Amino acid sequence: MVVATDKSNGRSIPATNISPNTIIELEKGDPAVFEKYWRKRGEECSIVIRGWEMMSYHGDAKNNVCWYMLPEVERSIRRLHHVVGNAVTHDRYIVVGTGATQLFQAAVFALSPSHPSKPINVLAAAPFYSEYQDEISILRSGLYQWGGDAASYKKNEPYIEVITSPNNPDGIIRGPVVKSEAKGKLIHDLAYYWPHYTPITHQAGHDLMLFTFSKCTGHAGSRFGWALVKDIEVAKKMTRYVQLSSIGVSKETQTRVVKIIGVVCDGYQNFGSMESELFFEYSKHLLRERWEKLWAVIDESKVFSVAKYPKAFCNFTNESSEPSPGFIWLKCEDGVEDCESYLLEKLKVRARAGKRFGVDSKYARISMIGTDDDFNEFLRRVSNAKKECEKGVNF
Amino acid sequence: MVVATDKSNGRSIPATNISPNTIIELEKGDPAVFEKYWRKRGEECSIVIRGWEMMSYHGDAKNNVCWYMLPEVERSIRRLHHVVGNAVTHDRYIVVGTGATQLFQAAVFALSPSHPSKPINVLAAAPFYSEYQDEISILRSGLYQWGGDAASYKKNEPYIEVITSPNNPDGIIRGPVVKSEAKGKLIHDLAYYWPHYTPITHQAGHDLMLFTFSKCTGHAGSRFGWALVKDIEVAKKMTRYVQLSSIGVSKETQTRVVKIIGVVCDGYQNFGSMESELFFEYSKHLLRERWEKLWAVIDESKVFSVAKYPKAFCNFTNESSEPSPGFIWLKCEDGVEDCESYLLEKLKVRARAGKRFGVDSKYARISMIGTDDDFNEFLRRVSNAKKECEKGVNF
């Protein structure tokens, strides 16, 4: 069903083919928004793998740390960080995993004491990424356990703090928050520290940094992540975890990572590329456009609010700009106590509840990186909710 | 360095380019032997993936169990088992993983009680696959723990028994061995239950069966395995494990699995294929040839022995034949107590020690599926060891 263009708030929301009764799935972070870019690039991003290629478990016999990684994958990752300037790769070991999800668990394992008298606490400041807790708790490990909100950690015991920056769900730039005098180890999850989401204000140089292909270029189906690790023993222990968990990482995936990162970097390093055709510029533009449309609707909303982000100077784009996070961290205003249920029941939008992120149910997370249709339909429904609210409809 | 053909035992061992001082790596099971087949098939086995394809985490919105699996992967797996006749797929759910390694852990998780008073014991009869113990023990789970040799399990407590058949390392066809009256759950690891390794004597119909692409077609670099699961709740719990462990399985890998399995099955189902060009016939021939060469050397060896395998009728090839296991389970004769050290020090062959498989050090495992050069050089060195032994050289 085609819904006519809505100009109620002075901005147009494009028509979509989604019926008003269809539930819009914005609970997960499937990065469909970037598909458009890769379609425009056409065949130059294709990979071909022949039947007899990539049959071995091994990637690089000379790599005495991450033995299943192809040498060209390592070069691609170093090149990408060199181009973007978002992280130090000098004097760092690279460990690759089946998504940052696997590497996060590898990192926690590697930083945990091997023979603890009790499990070490793994902490993150709320609101924290909704999956950390389940990933840590699923096997009831005797090595580590979920310790909850880092901001309220008061124990004088060793801990591991995960710092997600920009944060998922709320897009905030973060540093460690634990005040304990006990010895803490840090994992920096920098999945969203890329120029399309946030200004690149500095080259991150932490001891253990995680990145993912899913959120960088949008290839979530590939299941690929990487860690930059300062200490060789930590890198080796992470590699051992990945070995025991899945004997390495798909070589087909690694082949594609090399191709896609190569296309991104070539754009920046080859003379004559048009700025609007460069991956991060193009993607930033897409996300900025969405955020501007969102602000126009949210600013007039009586039901929802979203915190504003400060501008910052981006060393990569050489301009000052606001972040364009990958998620909307929506707060329901007074009168709506359960944001997720309200969204589902009244707007037929599936969001992820605030409670999953360790905060109260007035909050919910909505994906900002889904398809155009889903995003526009979401805007229309939020805009309509405002009107119903004005009409005094009870919610 | 080219070593001249060795005809000392009446059979020729082809020349190799390996210097006598080079260590031959036969410790892992990299399935390089199958590369030759895929080269012969040429471009028909190639996959092409465009930049904008396979970007989503999702595989099949309609699959309410394994949501990250492409529907064509499910069809391919069912088709392959239908062609080979080695396992029942009717009334079974399919769960795919990043190798059978990930799925084995998913299976143990799924079969373990969710809130146990103490961890359930995971058992396997010795000699058992060397990695089970570390995979089970690495995180010190409170749900399950390694219980050791299934044959000596005497506790009257619930357990999970892993039955590897044909067994890795020794190629023996196995069934459950635990005699306890306690309730046990079974995982059947059928990685090697394919016609090139062993006669297909029946269609396996167990409740939980694991298979891997690595050992079936030789594509170990792809990291792909699948489980056939009778109980939907077990299948869902396994899927949840894979979700929390790696948010699914690489879509590039899944694309390749569809292509490769398609080529294998087409060979059998399309009229006019030459038998010698069919995957399992070709591969069985390669392995049989190696085993015959091995027997010629071993039968005359004063140092090593290998147990003989009984013939059985294979329903797939319609003939009676001996198994051709993927590994040589080598026993050192009296006078050599540590088979692995002897192999490394005297023959410069890296093997996996018997102790890793839960038995004594007179045993070691050698890969039978490596490159031609490595295999032939191994044969030559074993043959030379015999001669040195005859000359009275001390070992």
Side-chain angles (χ1 to χ4, degrees):
Chain A
M1 179 186 154
V2 179
V3 180
T5 300
D6 183 341
K7 295 190 174 181
S8 60
N9 51 23
R11 283 183 166 263
S12 64
I13 301 173
T16 75
N17 287 315
I18 301 171
S19 139
N21 290 322
T22 302
I23 290 175
I24 319 176
E25 301 288 347
L26 295 171
E27 194 258 347
K28 290 207 175 91
D30 227 7
V33 68
F34 303 116
E35 210 183 286
K36 203 186 292 181
Y37 179 82
W38 298 110
R39 278 190 190 277
K40 277 184 191 286
R41 298 306 301 239
E43 297 297 335
E44 68 171 313
C45 307
S46 299
I47 54 160
V48 178
I49 303 176
R50 269 95 54 104
W52 61 90
E53 292 174 338
M54 305 283 157
M55 291 183 68
S56 173
Y57 291 101
H58 292 267
D60 183 1
K62 290 182 195 143
N63 189 323
N64 66 347
V65 177
C66 192
W67 58 269
Y68 51 79
M69 175 171 62
L70 297 173
E72 52 271 37
V73 166
E74 170 155 13
R75 286 194 295 272
S76 300
I77 291 170
R78 292 187 190 279
R79 183 182 178 204
L80 180 62
H81 287 298
H82 174 75
V83 164
V84 175
N86 61 339
V88 175
T89 61
H90 178 72
D91 203 20
R92 295 294 190 287
Y93 297 93
I94 294 179
V95 180
V96 299
T98 310
T101 294
Q102 188 183 50
L103 283 177
F104 167 67
Q105 292 167 77
V108 169
F109 168 73
L111 296 181
S112 296
S114 300
H115 302 286
S117 55
K118 54 187 265 188
I120 192 169
N121 285 302
V122 181
L123 316 164
F128 42 71
Y129 174 46
S130 53
E131 305 311 283
Y132 288 151
Q133 177 167 0
D134 284 352
E135 288 167 19
I136 292 299
S137 309
I138 178 172
L139 297 181
R140 297 199 187 186
S141 173
L143 301 177
Y144 51 76
Q145 66 188 7
W146 178 245
D149 186 359
S152 55
Y153 188 70
K154 296 279 184 285
K155 293 180 188 164
N156 191 18
E157 291 170 6
Y159 63 88
I160 296 170
E161 183 181 353
V162 195
I163 298 120
T164 316
S165 183
N167 192 36
N168 175 356
D170 64 7
I172 303 286
I173 298 296
R174 287 181 153 192
V177 302
V178 176
K179 295 283 189 298
S180 167
E181 288 182 8
K183 214 175 145 193
K185 290 179 176 169
L186 307 181
I187 297 171
H188 279 80
D189 181 342
L190 305 185
Y192 297 91
Y193 192 46
W194 296 102
H196 40 354
Y197 298 115
T198 198
I200 301 303
T201 56
H202 69 290
Q203 210 182 12
H206 311 290
D207 286 355
L208 201 170
M209 300 183 278
L210 303 179
F211 293 91
T212 167
F213 197 45
S214 305
K215 306 304 179 184
C216 174
T217 65
H219 292 85
S222 304
R223 311 311 313 119
F224 186 83
W226 65 94
L228 305 179
V229 185
K230 191 151 193 188
D231 181 339
I232 190 170
E233 295 308 323
V234 173
K236 283 184 172 175
K237 221 175 148 187
M238 288 179 71
T239 300
R240 175 158 170 72
Y241 178 90
V242 176
Q243 178 175 336
L244 281 173
S245 166
S246 60
I247 323 188
V249 175
S250 159
K251 296 291 187 298
E252 292 85 2
T253 288
Q254 293 193 49
T255 303
R256 196 168 191 209
V257 165
V258 170
K259 168 61 79 174
I260 297 288
I261 292 183
V263 169
V264 170
C265 293
D266 285 352
Y268 290 98
Q269 293 186 320
N270 293 350
F271 185 72
S273 303
M274 299 243 306
E275 193 177 291
S276 62
E277 288 175 6
L278 296 169
F279 175 72
F280 292 112
E281 275 72 4
Y282 184 94
S283 305
K284 185 181 171 182
H285 177 75
L286 285 179
L287 290 174
R288 276 252 49 82
E289 221 171 46
R290 287 195 178 182
W291 274 96
E292 279 162 20
K293 285 185 193 170
L294 178 78
W295 288 128
V297 169
I298 290 290
D299 285 347
E300 298 187 9
S301 172
K302 302 276 191 300
V303 187
F304 303 110
S305 69
V306 178
K308 299 277 179 184
Y309 297 98
K311 275 194 170 188
F313 187 80
C314 177
N315 298 329
F316 178 74
T317 57
N318 262 318
E319 59 179 22
S320 188
S321 66
E322 283 167 32
S324 312
F327 295 101
I328 310 165
W329 185 232
L330 212 56
K331 188 185 180 189
C332 277
E333 294 305 310
D334 292 343
V336 180
E337 293 311 312
D338 186 335
C339 192
E340 180 210 19
S341 300
Y342 177 86
L343 284 162
L344 187 60
E345 285 160 25
K346 300 287 174 184
L347 271 61
K348 298 199 182 298
V349 169
R350 204 183 312 274
R352 194 169 288 183
K355 288 200 167 169
R356 297 274 303 277
F357 302 88
V359 297
D360 73 42
S361 54
K362 288 190 80 71
Y363 288 90
R365 193 194 76 171
I366 298 274
S367 170
M368 193 55 152
I369 54 179
T371 64
D372 282 344
D373 266 10
D374 284 351
F375 177 70
N376 288 321
E377 186 62 23
F378 167 71
L379 284 188
R380 175 186 323 284
R381 294 184 190 179
V382 171
S383 178
N384 288 343
K386 178 198 70 170
K387 282 177 263 169
E388 289 199 24
C389 176
E390 284 166 352
K391 280 188 263 167
V393 174
N394 193 13
F395 50 85
Chain B
M1 178 187 154
V2 179
V3 180
T5 300
D6 182 340
K7 296 190 175 179
S8 59
N9 51 21
R11 285 182 166 264
S12 63
I13 301 173
T16 75
N17 288 314
I18 300 171
S19 139
N21 290 322
T22 302
I23 291 176
I24 319 176
E25 302 288 347
L26 294 172
E27 193 256 348
K28 289 206 176 95
D30 228 5
V33 68
F34 303 115
E35 209 183 288
K36 203 186 289 180
Y37 178 81
W38 298 110
R39 278 190 190 279
K40 278 185 192 282
R41 297 306 300 240
E43 296 298 335
E44 67 170 315
C45 308
S46 299
I47 54 161
V48 178
I49 303 176
R50 268 94 56 100
W52 62 91
E53 292 174 338
M54 305 282 155
M55 292 182 68
S56 173
Y57 291 100
H58 292 268
D60 183 1
K62 289 182 197 143
N63 189 324
N64 67 348
V65 177
C66 193
W67 57 269
Y68 51 79
M69 174 171 63
L70 297 174
E72 52 270 39
V73 166
E74 170 155 14
R75 286 194 295 272
S76 300
I77 291 169
R78 292 188 190 277
R79 183 181 178 204
L80 180 62
H81 287 297
H82 174 75
V83 164
V84 175
N86 61 340
V88 175
T89 61
H90 177 72
D91 202 21
R92 295 296 191 285
Y93 298 93
I94 294 179
V95 180
V96 300
T98 310
T101 293
Q102 188 182 50
L103 283 177
F104 167 67
Q105 292 167 77
V108 169
F109 168 72
L111 296 181
S112 296
S114 300
H115 302 284
S117 55
K118 55 186 267 190
I120 192 169
N121 285 301
V122 182
L123 316 163
F128 41 71
Y129 174 46
S130 53
E131 306 311 284
Y132 289 150
Q133 177 167 0
D134 284 353
E135 288 167 20
I136 292 299
S137 308
I138 179 172
L139 298 181
R140 296 197 186 189
S141 173
L143 301 177
Y144 50 77
Q145 66 188 5
W146 179 244
D149 187 358
S152 55
Y153 188 70
K154 297 277 183 284
K155 292 180 189 166
N156 190 17
E157 290 171 8
Y159 62 89
I160 296 170
E161 182 179 354
V162 195
I163 298 121
T164 316
S165 183
N167 191 37
N168 175 356
D170 64 8
I172 303 286
I173 298 295
R174 287 182 153 192
V177 303
V178 176
K179 295 282 190 297
S180 167
E181 287 181 13
K183 215 176 144 192
K185 289 178 177 171
L186 307 181
I187 296 171
H188 279 82
D189 182 342
L190 305 185
Y192 298 90
Y193 192 47
W194 295 103
H196 40 354
Y197 298 115
T198 198
I200 302 302
T201 57
H202 68 291
Q203 209 182 12
H206 312 289
D207 286 355
L208 203 168
M209 300 182 276
L210 302 179
F211 293 91
T212 168
F213 198 45
S214 307
K215 306 304 179 183
C216 175
T217 64
H219 292 85
S222 304
R223 313 308 315 119
F224 186 83
W226 65 95
L228 304 180
V229 185
K230 191 150 192 190
D231 181 338
I232 189 171
E233 295 309 321
V234 173
K236 282 185 173 175
K237 221 173 147 188
M238 289 179 71
T239 300
R240 175 156 170 75
Y241 178 91
V242 175
Q243 178 175 337
L244 281 172
S245 166
S246 60
I247 322 188
V249 175
S250 160
K251 296 292 187 297
E252 293 85 0
T253 288
Q254 293 192 50
T255 303
R256 196 167 190 212
V257 165
V258 170
K259 168 61 81 175
I260 296 288
I261 291 183
V263 169
V264 170
C265 292
D266 286 351
Y268 289 97
Q269 294 185 319
N270 293 351
F271 185 74
S273 303
M274 299 242 307
E275 192 178 292
S276 62
E277 288 174 6
L278 296 169
F279 176 72
F280 292 112
E281 275 71 4
Y282 185 94
S283 304
K284 185 183 173 182
H285 178 75
L286 284 179
L287 290 174
R288 276 252 49 81
E289 221 172 46
R290 286 196 177 181
W291 274 97
E292 279 164 20
K293 285 186 192 170
L294 179 79
W295 288 127
V297 170
I298 290 290
D299 284 348
E300 297 187 10
S301 172
K302 302 276 192 299
V303 188
F304 303 109
S305 67
V306 177
K308 299 277 179 184
Y309 296 98
K311 274 194 171 187
F313 188 80
C314 177
N315 298 330
F316 179 75
T317 57
N318 262 317
E319 58 179 22
S320 188
S321 66
E322 283 166 32
S324 313
F327 295 102
I328 310 164
W329 185 232
L330 212 55
K331 187 183 180 191
C332 277
E333 293 305 310
D334 293 342
V336 179
E337 293 311 312
D338 186 335
C339 192
E340 180 210 19
S341 301
Y342 177 86
L343 284 161
L344 187 60
E345 286 159 26
K346 301 287 174 183
L347 270 60
K348 297 199 182 299
V349 170
R350 203 183 312 274
R352 193 170 288 181
K355 288 200 167 168
R356 296 274 303 278
F357 303 88
V359 296
D360 73 42
S361 54
K362 289 190 80 72
Y363 288 90
R365 192 194 76 172
I366 297 274
S367 170
M368 193 55 151
I369 53 179
T371 64
D372 281 344
D373 265 12
D374 284 352
F375 177 70
N376 287 321
E377 186 63 22
F378 167 71
L379 284 188
R380 175 186 322 284
R381 293 184 190 180
V382 171
S383 177
N384 288 342
K386 177 198 70 171
K387 282 177 264 170
E388 289 198 25
C389 176
E390 286 167 350
K391 280 186 265 167
V393 175
N394 194 13
F395 50 87

